[in-house]
């Protein structure tokens, strides 16, 4: 039986995404498996259209409900009379037009009829998503005739949004994510969750604004209406610091950041939490996570049965996996610990799905695929949109990562893709992620090397009605910022760093580099204005890109302005005895500039808070706001100190200008680019400054000559303490101040490590200074040592480095007697870009 509906005012449809047609080219995302275009156009009048749709005995289907919602939102009238112009059909295996896939569909637009066929309601749903885009593919008000045959490459196409590192989305925004994800043909949505859910038994570790069981149930039901499973998740072993900091849960911890693995009390807690979360999410999968359990070795060392780290991990995870299986839910877990302990993979339940993850653009992902392909377990590849501590995602890295990882996974029988979006750093907006998210949708629905080149063109059409390549030009311009050494490959630390000095603080900025950043940002703003010209200013996703540009522009402008104002203040100091009136006038000019800066920073802060609440709850907003408040406070302190100077300055009575550092104007303009992002470990206490500084404190990890640490690497110091390598971005452009990192600031040794990637073997000159002593090792060989007690002079020492082609390893050993513990490091006359502690030389 068919139900027929006559739809008036068809052109009033409201679509979540829109498309601009170019000639008769169909611009669709994801790109269908097959499109055959005809020369003609759909000949029916779009002012009135009749639809025939199957009637189901069960509840209204997702596809039909979505069509109905689109119509009723625009007050369109319905009727059951008349011959159908658009016919939806469910067909069986004998209809060879339709791909033999439950989610496949077939669309033909020909003459006066649109025919849609599928083997299941899911197939009809995905056909509707394509029709949303097709109905805007109009040339002179007409829809091109075409035949589309389509089905997904991967059965499981998922997106994971991190909601535990700061941003916690509102229910409304999560629903908006679901609507857009479904239009991109994702069928799985999940969260990374550590502590932000309120269960009935264990609600006390969650924040006040935490996600409730009722909200999860509402969101799961909403996702189901959009053909999406809302998959459950909860961290099960490591990353537990946010829960273990509560006294009522501290007894569960082996360390401050990891549960006691395999402990009956810890497992009871986990089963109670999962017992509430699993039915609320109502998906057929549940992710136990279990990644980055860095303290396993420590727990194994103290375990009374002498279990290895792998055995202890299995003892903890296996009961949780089996508990989910008993509930009829397939368990998921990250693959990094399994990759480190491959001997336990075969002992996992066969129902387990391994989520193997890596977020780099690599030539091969075999190390992340082969162990799980060979195990016989189902595994999903998990690429990422690189957001961690960034102004915006590194889309070059992300698109390459998605393309390579999904492609290699398909060659090796992966059963799904879970694209991960991480929010490390916590000041991130999801609305800047859609380029990467849409590419993940495309590559998991219809993987093809041919689509990569046309993707951004189609994305900008669908998301921004841009048929002229403006968005692609905008992204190219943003890409230029990566090459600036002061932007640290767009790391957010450029924003965290001090801009306005405190009393007696010396800062150094590169006016030349920051001026180039400012110029590039202004050029990007012009391009974005072109893209945004047809819609309300700063609306939709683009308002988040405008904020990024405003933030970068103000950072650059503020540093340039503070260099200028420091020079003005120093100039006023020179003339104060000769011309007090001119001195006061110059000081007032500085004060006016500082007030203007305050206005701009407050405006940026207000905009950040406005945008935050578009996506998120108020949870963590205090922490997110902290850098804005700190910069505003520091700027206000400088202004108030200057206003006091202006009010009291009276050379006739012997009241002169204080030294620049007492007011906040000790800012130097530097011309060189220094390395200021390192992996750091320490301090190692010493007693005898002459003898103990010769000790190799890295023996437990193979010694100084073999040190190749990564972030989070653990090792044991000679005195039995556990040490770790941490990522450190200096608060200064020209030095790393170790005294600000450690409590023990005297009679100590620390190490800093970085990589230099060179396109060829070459000789370069490294210049450095230190307080106190310093040793430099290149690829395991000591090339310089200066053991002395001194204040730092940048560039006081230099040495030739014989770089090999590819990756070179630099280890700096800094020793300290007393005083200001710091060192500087740069390469003379060499240009480079950086990604955290990894520096790449450029022509």
């Amino acid at each position: 039986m068919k139900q027929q509906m006559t739809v008036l005012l068809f052109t009033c449809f409201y679509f979540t995404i829109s498309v601009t047609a170019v000639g008769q080219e169909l611009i669709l995302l994801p790109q269908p498996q097959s499109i055959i275009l005809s020369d003609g156009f759909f000949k029916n009048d779009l002012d009135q259209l009749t639809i025939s749709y199957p009637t189901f005995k069960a509840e209204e289907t997702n596809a039909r409900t979505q069509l109905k919602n689109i119509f009723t939102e625009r007050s369109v009238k319905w009727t059951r009379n008349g011959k159908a112009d658009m016919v939806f059909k469910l067909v069986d295996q004998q209809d060879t037009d339709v791909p033999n896939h439950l989610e496949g569909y077939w669309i033909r637009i020909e003459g006066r009829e649109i025919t849609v066929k599928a083997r299941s309601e899911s197939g009809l749903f995905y056909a509707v998503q394509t029709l949303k885009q097709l109905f805007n593919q109009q040339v002179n008000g007409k829809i091109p005739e075409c035949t589309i045959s389509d089905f997904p490459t991967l059965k499981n196409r998922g997106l994971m949004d991190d909601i535990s590192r700061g941003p916690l989305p509102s229910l409304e925004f999560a629903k908006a994510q679901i609507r857009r994800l479904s239009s991109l043909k994702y069928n799985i949505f999940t969260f990374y969750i550590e502590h932000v859910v309120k269960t009935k038994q264990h609600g006390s570790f969650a924040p006040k604004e935490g996600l409730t069981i009722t909200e999860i149930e509402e969101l799961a039901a909403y996702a189901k209406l959009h053909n999406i499973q809302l998959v459950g998740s909860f961290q099960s072993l490591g990353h537990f610091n946010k829960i273990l900091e509560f006294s009522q849960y501290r007894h569960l911890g082996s360390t401050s950041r990891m549960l006691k693995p395999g402990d009956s009390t810890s497992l009871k807690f986990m089963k109670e939490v999962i017992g509430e979360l699993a039915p609320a999410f109502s998906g057929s999968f549940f992710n136990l996570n279990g990644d980055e359990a860095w303290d396993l070795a420590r727990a194994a060392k103290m375990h009374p049965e002498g279990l290895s780290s792998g055995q202890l991990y299995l003892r903890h995870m296996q009961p949780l996996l089996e508990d989910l299986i008993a509930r009829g839910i397939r368990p998921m877990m990250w693959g990094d610990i399994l990759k480190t302990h491959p001997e336990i993979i075969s002992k996992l339940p066969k129902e387990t799905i391994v989520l193997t993850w890596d977020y780099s653009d690599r030539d091969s992902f075999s190390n992340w695929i082969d162990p799980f392909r060979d195990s016989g377990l189902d595994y999903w590849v998990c690429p990422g949109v690189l957001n961690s501590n960034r102004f915006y995602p590194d889309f070059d890295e992300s698109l390459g990562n998605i393309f390579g990882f999904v492609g290699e996974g398909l060659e090796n029988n992966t059963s799904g893709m879970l694209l991960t979006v991480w929010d490390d750093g916590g000041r991130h907006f999801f609305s800047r992620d859609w380029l990467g998210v849409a590419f993940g949708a495309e590559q998991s629905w219809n993987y093809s090397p041919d689509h990569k080149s046309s993707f951004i063109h189609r994305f900008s059409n669908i998301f921004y009605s841009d048929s002229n390549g403006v968005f692609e030009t905008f992204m190219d311009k943003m890409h230029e910022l990566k090459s600036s050494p002061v932007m640290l490959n767009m790391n957010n630390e450029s924003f965290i760093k001090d801009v306005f000095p405190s009393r007696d603080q010396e800062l150094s900025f590169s006016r030349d580099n920051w001026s180039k950043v400012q110029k590039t940002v202004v050029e990007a703003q012009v391009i974005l204005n072109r893209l945004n010209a047809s819609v309300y200013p700063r609306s939709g996703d683009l308002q988040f890109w405008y904020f990024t540009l405003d933030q970068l522009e103000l950072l650059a402008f503020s540093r340039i302005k503070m260099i200028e104002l420091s020079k003005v203040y120093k100039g006023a100091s020179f003339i104060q005895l000769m011309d007090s009136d001119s001195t006061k006038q110059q000081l007032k000019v500085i004060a006016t500039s500082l007030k203007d800066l305050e206005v701009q920073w407050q405006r940026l802060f207000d905009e950040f808070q406005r945008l935050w609440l578009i996506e998120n709850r108020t949870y963590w907003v205090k922490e997110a706001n902290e850098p804005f408040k700190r910069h505003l406070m520091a700027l206000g302190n400088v202004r108030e100190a200057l206003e006091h100077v202006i009010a009291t300055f009276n050379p006739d009575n012997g009241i002169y200008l204080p030294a620049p550092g007492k007011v906040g104007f000790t800012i130097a303009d530097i011309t060189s680019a220094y390395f200021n992002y390192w992996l750091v470990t320490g301090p190692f206490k010493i007693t005898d400054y002459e003898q103990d500084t010769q000790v190799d404190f890295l023996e437990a990890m193979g010694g100084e000559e073999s040190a190749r640490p990564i972030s989070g690497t653990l090792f044991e110091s000679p005195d039995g303490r556990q040490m770790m390598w941490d990522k450190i971005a200096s608060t200064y452009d020209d030095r790393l101040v170790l005294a600000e990192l450690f409590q023990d600031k005297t009679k100590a040794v620390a190490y800093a490590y970085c990589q230099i990637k060179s396109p060829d073997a070459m000789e370069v000159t490294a210049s450095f200074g230190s307080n106190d002593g310093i040793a430099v090792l290149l690829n395991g060989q000591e090339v310089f040592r200066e053991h002395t007690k001194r204040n730092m002079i940048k560039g006081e020492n230099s040495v030739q480095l014989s770089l090999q082609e590819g990756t070179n390893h630099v280890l700096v050993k800094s020793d300290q007697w007393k005083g200001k513990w710091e060192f500087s490091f740069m390469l003379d006359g060499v240009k480079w870009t950086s990604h955290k502690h990894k520096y790449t030389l450029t022509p």
Side-chain angles (χ1 to χ4, degrees):
M1 180 179 180
K2 304 291 184 184
Q3 181 179 26
Q4 296 193 354
M5 304 162 285
T6 298
V7 183
L8 303 176
L9 302 176
F10 192 78
T11 54
C12 291
F13 280 14
Y14 171 79
F15 301 129
T16 303
I17 52 181
S18 61
V19 185
T20 302
V22 180
Q24 268 189 269
E25 172 191 8
L26 289 183
I27 301 171
L28 301 172
L29 185 66
Q31 183 83 346
Q33 301 284 350
S34 171
I35 302 175
I36 300 174
L37 273 170
S38 301
D39 294 332
F41 296 92
F42 183 55
K43 296 177 177 60
N44 219 333
D45 186 353
L46 295 182
D47 289 338
Q48 181 170 322
L49 198 66
T50 306
I51 296 179
S52 175
Y53 197 93
T55 298
F56 293 84
K57 292 182 180 180
E59 61 184 277
E60 274 198 337
T61 62
N62 296 347
R64 185 183 183 282
T65 299
Q66 192 161 116
L67 280 171
K68 180 179 177 182
N69 290 341
I70 292 171
F71 300 152
T72 55
E73 281 175 3
R74 311 305 292 178
S75 301
V76 175
K77 296 180 181 179
W78 291 41
T79 179
R80 297 185 179 183
N81 300 321
K83 181 179 180 297
D85 306 301
M86 181 185 296
V87 180
F88 287 80
K89 297 179 180 179
L90 281 175
V91 299
D92 58 23
Q93 300 275 350
Q94 294 179 355
D95 191 321
T96 57
D97 287 336
V98 182
N100 188 23
H101 194 291
L102 281 178
E103 292 182 307
Y105 64 89
W106 182 87
I107 298 172
R108 173 170 288 170
I109 301 176
E110 184 177 36
R112 295 185 177 276
E113 186 172 84
I114 298 175
T115 305
V116 181
K117 296 192 289 187
R119 301 198 188 282
S120 71
E121 200 277 329
S122 290
L124 293 180
F125 180 87
Y126 292 121
V128 169
Q129 308 315 308
T130 298
L131 286 170
K132 288 182 187 180
Q133 298 181 27
L134 277 172
F135 289 145
N136 275 1
Q137 298 283 308
Q138 296 182 25
V139 180
N140 298 321
K142 296 181 179 180
I143 302 173
E145 291 185 327
C146 63
T147 301
I148 296 175
S149 180
D150 200 13
F151 60 91
T153 299
L154 280 172
K155 177 182 178 181
N156 301 296
R157 307 172 302 280
L159 181 92
M160 186 219 73
D161 184 14
D162 173 14
I163 64 172
S164 294
R165 311 295 182 91
L168 179 58
S170 65
L171 200 60
E172 293 75 18
F173 185 74
K175 289 179 178 179
Q177 288 176 298
I178 286 169
R179 290 194 297 273
R180 191 177 272 186
L181 290 173
S182 73
S183 72
L184 291 169
K185 299 186 173 71
Y186 278 96
N187 59 4
I188 288 170
F189 184 37
T190 188
F191 300 117
Y192 172 74
I193 298 176
E194 294 177 1
H195 69 296
V196 294
V197 289
K198 284 188 172 183
T199 64
K200 295 176 182 178
Q201 287 181 281
H202 297 285
S204 61
F205 60 69
K208 176 183 175 182
E209 306 89 342
L211 198 60
T212 66
I213 296 295
T214 301
E215 286 180 313
I216 293 170
E217 291 171 341
E218 180 181 342
L219 203 58
Y222 189 82
K224 185 178 180 181
L225 291 175
H226 291 79
N227 238 50
I228 285 179
Q229 278 195 64
L230 188 68
V231 168
S233 167
F234 194 77
Q235 186 59 264
S236 59
L237 184 56
H239 290 284
F240 241 81
N241 53 297
K242 294 185 179 72
I243 294 177
L244 295 178
E245 66 184 8
F246 288 94
S247 57
Q248 65 268 35
Y249 295 105
R250 186 64 190 91
H251 69 284
L252 299 175
S254 174
T255 65
S256 63
R257 61 186 180 180
M258 189 181 78
L259 285 176
K260 294 176 183 176
D263 177 74
S264 60
T265 307
S266 295
L267 290 172
K268 179 177 181 292
F269 165 80
M270 284 299 308
K271 289 180 181 180
E272 289 172 350
V273 172
I274 293 171
E276 290 191 51
L277 290 180
F281 280 99
S282 71
S284 58
F285 310 110
F286 192 98
N287 185 9
L288 291 169
N289 297 288
D291 59 310
E292 296 182 336
W294 289 312
D295 291 333
L296 271 171
R298 297 172 71 182
K301 185 177 180 181
M302 298 181 291
H303 199 270
E305 298 177 40
L307 296 180
S308 67
S309 297
Q311 292 170 328
L312 197 55
Y313 184 70
L314 183 65
R315 176 174 289 192
H316 183 81
M317 297 300 295
Q318 198 156 29
L320 301 178
L321 296 167
E322 291 172 350
D323 182 65
L324 284 170
I325 294 167
R327 296 174 183 273
I329 298 172
R330 292 197 67 181
M332 298 168 153
M333 61 188 297
W334 300 115
D336 57 316
I337 303 297
L338 298 175
K339 192 162 72 75
T340 305
H341 299 283
E343 71 278 3
I344 67 174
I345 297 176
S346 62
K347 297 179 173 61
L348 297 174
K350 66 181 185 304
E351 295 88 350
T352 305
I353 298 171
V354 178
L355 304 174
T356 181
W357 58 272
D358 182 72
Y359 311 132
S360 299
D361 181 7
R362 301 183 184 277
D363 294 331
S364 172
F365 293 88
S366 60
N367 289 340
W368 288 266
I369 289 176
D370 292 356
F372 309 115
R373 177 203 62 196
D374 298 341
S375 72
L377 294 173
D378 275 353
Y379 76 96
W380 294 7
V381 293
C382 302
V385 177
L386 286 182
N387 259 326
S388 299
N389 300 293
R390 295 181 57 83
F391 286 102
Y392 55 87
D394 185 344
F395 288 120
D396 289 329
E397 185 89 1
S398 294
L399 268 58
N401 170 242
I402 294 167
F403 183 74
F405 208 178
V406 173
E408 198 166 333
L410 285 167
E411 292 174 1
N412 291 276
N413 300 316
T414 186
S415 57
M417 179 208 76
L418 183 66
L419 180 64
T420 61
V421 177
W422 297 99
D423 289 336
D424 302 57
R427 294 171 189 87
H428 173 65
F429 295 120
F430 191 93
S431 295
R432 292 181 295 207
D433 294 333
W434 285 108
L435 179 67
V437 172
F439 191 66
E442 169 124 319
Q443 296 305 302
S444 58
W445 178 270
N446 180 9
Y447 184 88
S448 171
D450 296 335
H451 298 161
K452 188 177 180 183
S453 60
S454 68
F455 166 73
I456 295 183
H457 166 66
R458 288 181 287 114
F459 172 85
S460 59
N461 268 271
I462 289 170
F463 275 70
Y464 304 122
S465 300
D466 167 36
S467 60
N468 299 313
V470 179
F471 179 76
E472 187 168 7
T473 303
F474 171 70
M475 293 310 301
D476 288 343
K477 182 58 65 174
M478 298 301 285
H479 179 74
E480 291 180 19
L481 292 168
K482 289 177 59 178
S483 63
S484 171
V486 296
M487 292 310 304
L488 300 173
N489 193 35
M490 304 313 297
N491 190 283
N492 196 50
E493 289 296 335
S494 300
F495 176 69
I496 305 298
K497 286 183 177 184
D498 291 336
V499 180
F500 309 103
S502 57
R503 183 182 174 90
D504 291 328
Q505 183 183 20
E506 298 180 11
L507 295 180
S508 299
F509 306 138
S510 170
R511 181 190 182 102
D512 180 58
N513 282 321
W514 283 109
S515 294
K516 291 176 181 176
V517 168
Q518 186 179 33
K519 179 177 180 293
T520 303
V521 168
V522 170
E523 291 169 349
Q525 287 171 332
V526 171
I527 299 169
L528 194 58
N529 287 339
R530 288 169 50 202
L531 184 63
N532 200 44
S534 60
V535 294
Y536 184 82
R538 305 196 172 201
S539 64
D541 297 344
L542 295 187
Q543 63 187 323
F544 295 90
W545 284 108
Y546 271 112
F547 172 80
T548 301
L549 294 177
D550 291 344
Q551 184 183 26
L552 294 173
E553 200 278 334
L554 186 55
L555 278 177
F557 176 76
S558 297
R559 287 182 164 102
I560 295 167
K561 179 59 69 173
M562 289 305 294
I563 292 172
E564 294 174 355
L565 298 183
S566 294
K567 290 181 178 179
V568 174
Y569 185 88
K570 292 170 186 176
S573 298
F574 277 111
I575 66 170
Q576 62 180 314
L577 296 179
M578 297 174 287
D579 191 341
S580 61
D581 289 339
S582 294
T583 299
K584 286 185 177 181
Q585 187 59 39
Q586 291 188 32
L587 296 178
K588 289 177 181 179
V589 169
I590 298 174
T592 299
S593 295
L594 293 175
K595 288 179 182 178
D596 290 342
L597 277 174
E598 280 186 283
V599 170
Q600 294 179 62
W601 274 94
Q602 186 62 54
R603 187 182 299 126
L604 184 74
F605 184 22
D606 292 343
E607 179 67 356
F608 175 77
Q609 294 180 95
R610 184 186 74 82
L611 295 176
W612 180 275
L613 293 177
I614 288 176
E615 293 191 353
N616 304 305
R617 305 167 193 230
T618 56
Y619 167 68
W620 213 80
V621 71
K622 180 179 178 182
E623 291 82 356
N625 289 345
E626 191 277 330
F628 294 94
K629 291 184 174 180
R630 181 166 51 81
H631 289 317
L632 277 165
M633 180 177 291
L635 177 53
N637 290 340
V638 174
R639 177 184 52 76
E640 289 174 3
L642 181 66
E643 289 174 347
H644 177 74
V645 169
I646 294 172
T648 58
F649 175 64
N650 191 336
D652 293 337
N653 291 332
I655 302 176
Y656 303 106
L657 299 185
K662 305 303 180 184
V663 189
F665 293 115
T666 310
I667 300 176
D669 181 4
I670 57 176
T671 57
S672 301
Y674 292 81
F675 285 22
N676 53 19
Y677 203 116
W678 300 81
L679 293 186
V680 177
T681 190
F684 303 89
K685 290 295 293 179
I686 59 177
T687 302
D688 187 321
Y689 182 68
E690 301 304 325
Q691 296 297 321
D692 293 350
T693 52
Q694 309 299 315
V695 173
D696 186 342
F697 294 95
L698 304 182
E699 283 187 356
M701 55 181 302
E704 294 170 352
E705 294 181 357
S706 302
R708 305 291 187 269
I710 61 174
S711 177
T713 296
L714 299 171
F715 66 99
E716 193 173 274
S717 68
D719 60 3
R721 292 179 298 132
Q722 186 177 57
M723 309 296 292
M724 185 172 76
W725 289 88
D726 288 319
K727 297 177 288 187
I728 301 295
S730 174
T731 56
Y732 304 90
D733 282 356
D734 61 346
R735 68 193 70 192
L736 179 65
V737 181
L738 295 165
E740 295 180 354
L741 305 180
F742 308 129
Q743 288 184 337
D744 294 327
K745 303 176 183 179
T746 61
K747 298 183 181 179
V749 167
Y751 294 92
Y753 167 85
C754 74
Q755 296 178 8
I756 301 175
K757 188 173 183 179
S758 178
D760 302 293
M762 65 175 70
E763 296 285 323
V764 298
T765 300
S767 297
F768 38 86
S770 63
N771 181 337
D772 288 309
I774 188 171
V776 178
L777 287 81
L778 174 65
N779 296 324
Q781 300 298 313
E782 185 177 295
V783 294
F784 182 87
R785 178 180 290 271
E786 181 76 36
H787 179 61
T788 185
K789 301 172 185 177
R790 64 181 182 181
N791 292 329
M792 188 183 79
I793 300 175
K794 292 182 296 184
E796 182 174 7
N797 304 116
S798 63
V799 67
Q800 287 292 111
L801 300 181
S802 299
L803 299 181
Q804 61 190 17
E805 181 182 351
T807 300
N808 296 266
H809 306 274
V810 175
L811 184 71
V812 172
K813 183 178 184 179
S814 175
D815 61 62
Q816 176 66 6
W817 178 245
K818 60 182 179 179
K820 190 173 183 179
W821 192 4
E822 60 187 357
F823 72 86
S824 66
F825 187 97
M826 61 166 290
L827 300 181
D828 295 345
V830 177
K831 293 182 179 180
W832 46 262
T833 61
S834 68
H835 177 58
K836 299 181 180 179
H837 66 287
K838 300 176 181 179
Y839 298 84
T840 300
L841 304 190
T842 59

